[in-house]
Amino acid sequence: MRLVIIGTRKTGTSLALVRTALKRGLAVTIISNPEDRLEGVFPPEVEIKYLPADVSIISEWIKKKHFRPENALRITTINDVYACVAAQVNSALGLPGPDAFAVTRAVSKLQQKKIFTDNNIPTSGYSEFRLSDHKAREDALLKLQLPAVVKPSEGTASNGVKLCSQHSEVISHLDYLVNQKEQRPDLVPSDTVLLEEYLPGTEYCVEYFDGHYVGAMRKSKRYGTEFLERGYTSELDIDEQTLLNLIGTGARAVEAAGLSWGPVHIDCIVHNGFASIIELNPRIAGSFICDIVRDAYGFDMVENLVDKLQGKEVTVPASFLPDAYACVNFFLESDPLPWSFTEQGELRNHLMHISYGPQHLSNRRRRAFVYVRNLMQNFKPEIN
Ligand SMILES: Nc1ncnc2c1ncn2[C@@H]1O[C@H](COP(=O)(O)OP(=O)(O)O)[C@@H](O)[C@H]1O
Ligand SMILES: [Mg+2]
């Protein structure tokens, strides 16, 4: 069997997925954008093909090169920008994967808003317009309620997402997005923007597999107006009833979006015990989220995704609380320099495992990470 990964990153989940596939004896092909420059990132046996993110170009190439009755083929993605392309190529070749219509729809934050509101799933209020439609922009600005979160309808990693407290900030951020749309269509691919009601509260990511909850974590962000991710922890700081409400709200969103195949990642805000959905991603998560789900909740998203692609049965744990402590902290460019790491390394004893290293991700202003987990299998409760 060959696994074709359309759209990848150079870190965490991508490396783990490739490692898992190779360990199981699968051949691996990665299709990515020429600018991604992946030389030396993956083991040499991994085939790398640079192609534009175009469904017919990628399908044609795969058909010619690898589509043979004697060889089973499976396709997945680890990158938001490619989720839609990967799902459509999958569907064009008749291979198993998430529903292409549902993935394509979910890539648009505007479409997500429509799904949530149509299904009475709590989310922030919003208005939307196209950057090129000046009349619609003026109308939206007249009705604007502050503070507001301005965001492109398509995007990832908080690119172009900004909290604005003043009218003038909204206007200058919209002008910035017009410019970004021209200069960086990869970061701002759509002309549509959302003006959202700002939801105060604590942010959580909730992970689902085949529509079932597999783990949640609390997300921390840097101060300021840009929502830069600073870390995730399985220490949820939440009561069980609120957690169940969060899990249930997310599950309804996954179901309403028609994303019942494989991994889905959800961002939520919890305020006064009440959960609202920020957005949903129809793909496996990055940023050590899979590590936390594995180490704290005992469900390995990567192994289970490969299982699912190979046609094996996947069972999801029944428990909903974390068993172990696992957290990641990111150090950003704005942090004191000594917090950075030039080398990677690890510290381990029978109870704890800490790994750390440099991590430079374009557009995230991230410099380094520290990942901490306790090793539950060695934990023996004290008996008084
Ligand atoms: N309406 C909102 N209220 C409060 N915070 C928000 C809102 N929308 C977005 N955010 C913050 O911005 C981050 C990025 O926005 P999101 O819609 O998830 O886009 P992206 O695709 O870039 O992740 C969220 O994780 C959250 O921290
Ligand atoms: Mg998000």
Side-chain angles (χ1 to χ4, degrees):
M1 185 180 275
R2 176 175 293 271
L3 179 64
V4 179
I5 304 171
I6 302 178
T8 184
R9 299 200 181 278
K10 296 179 185 177
T11 47
T13 306
S14 303
L15 297 172
L17 183 63
V18 169
R19 211 167 35 235
T20 302
L22 292 175
K23 207 170 62 203
R24 294 191 188 190
L26 274 68
V28 177
T29 298
I30 289 177
I31 298 180
S32 212
N33 201 293
E35 283 132 49
D36 289 345
R37 294 205 305 273
L38 297 169
E39 285 73 27
V41 173
F42 297 100
E45 61 268 42
V46 173
E47 177 190 39
I48 294 179
K49 179 72 186 170
Y50 295 113
L51 290 174
D54 178 286
V55 177
S56 55
I57 294 175
I58 296 178
S59 313
E60 280 312 307
W61 184 83
I62 295 177
K63 260 192 204 157
K64 270 204 196 106
K65 186 87 198 286
H66 293 300
F67 204 55
R68 314 233 148 54
E70 68 275 17
N71 289 338
L73 195 66
R74 292 292 181 269
I75 294 175
T76 192
T77 185
I78 320 171
N79 190 322
D80 264 336
V81 181
Y82 288 87
C84 180
V85 176
Q88 288 180 23
V89 171
N90 237 338
S91 146
L93 300 177
L95 299 173
D99 181 69
F101 169 75
V103 171
T104 308
R105 194 171 52 159
V107 164
S108 152
K109 291 184 170 74
L110 172 58
Q111 293 301 326
Q112 289 186 26
K113 284 285 187 205
K114 291 183 175 158
I115 296 169
F116 301 152
T117 41
D118 286 352
N119 290 279
N120 288 323
I121 294 166
T123 188
S124 58
Y126 72 100
S127 62
E128 46 92 13
F129 57 89
R130 296 177 76 89
L131 286 167
S132 51
D133 184 340
H134 299 287
K135 169 85 173 63
R137 171 177 160 150
E138 289 316 313
D139 289 348
L141 286 171
L142 279 176
K143 291 182 214 132
L144 179 68
Q145 306 241 0
L146 292 166
V149 176
V150 183
K151 66 172 80 161
S153 178
E154 289 178 35
T156 185
S158 301
N159 282 315
V161 180
K162 189 164 187 214
L163 172 62
C164 300
S165 305
Q166 291 180 21
H167 211 264
S168 58
E169 281 179 305
V170 176
I171 291 175
S172 60
H173 191 61
L174 289 173
D175 292 341
Y176 165 80
L177 290 178
V178 170
N179 192 276
Q180 281 282 95
K181 169 88 188 70
E182 267 168 37
Q183 307 293 322
R184 295 294 308 266
D186 53 326
L187 296 181
V188 183
S190 146
D191 191 29
T192 302
V193 287
L194 302 182
L195 301 181
E196 288 186 14
E197 167 199 4
Y198 170 68
L199 297 176
T202 309
E203 185 158 349
Y204 290 86
C205 291
V206 196
E207 307 307 308
Y208 294 84
F209 197 98
D210 285 354
H212 302 291
Y213 163 80
V214 289
M217 62 210 70
R218 188 159 56 82
K219 173 178 177 177
S220 48
K221 292 163 282 188
R222 200 190 69 166
Y223 63 83
T225 56
E226 294 166 299
F227 307 107
L228 288 178
E229 66 184 343
R230 145 91 63 229
Y232 297 94
T233 173
S234 72
E235 182 274 291
L236 300 175
D237 198 24
I238 198 176
D239 63 70
E240 282 189 20
Q241 196 46 51
T242 307
L243 177 59
L244 287 170
N245 170 280
L246 174 66
I247 294 168
T249 305
R252 286 207 289 129
V254 175
E255 191 184 353
L259 293 166
S260 56
W261 193 103
V264 176
H265 164 87
I266 291 196
D267 294 327
C268 287
I269 298 275
V270 172
H271 188 53
N272 291 337
F274 185 76
S276 300
I277 309 255
I278 295 279
E279 69 143 353
L280 149 171
N281 295 127
R283 52 146 175 96
I284 192 163
S287 289
F288 290 85
I289 288 169
C290 291
D291 301 66
I292 295 178
V293 174
R294 179 196 60 217
D295 295 335
Y297 294 89
F299 184 81
D300 192 321
M301 300 282 262
V302 173
E303 294 281 346
N304 280 290
L305 176 58
V306 180
D307 277 349
K308 178 132 186 113
L309 288 161
Q310 289 188 300
K312 295 180 196 159
E313 190 77 25
V314 170
T315 20
V316 165
S319 67
F320 67 99
L321 292 169
D323 287 324
Y325 176 72
C327 81
V328 67
N329 282 304
F330 300 120
F331 298 136
L332 306 176
E333 282 162 8
S334 52
D335 287 329
L337 256 182
W339 296 12
S340 195
F341 301 109
T342 47
E343 289 170 28
Q344 61 177 42
E346 58 184 322
L347 304 166
R348 183 196 278 271
N349 64 22
H350 66 291
L351 283 176
M352 294 297 286
H353 184 197
I354 301 174
S355 52
Y356 57 90
Q359 194 175 66
H360 296 276
L361 289 187
S362 57
N363 309 314
R364 291 198 189 188
R365 285 172 267 172
R366 190 185 295 174
R367 236 171 26 194
F369 73 92
V370 185
Y371 184 77
V372 179
R373 67 187 174 113
N374 71 333
L375 304 169
M376 281 304 286
Q377 63 271 32
N378 295 315
F379 176 75
K380 293 196 183 58
E382 258 176 46
I383 298 164
N384 293 318

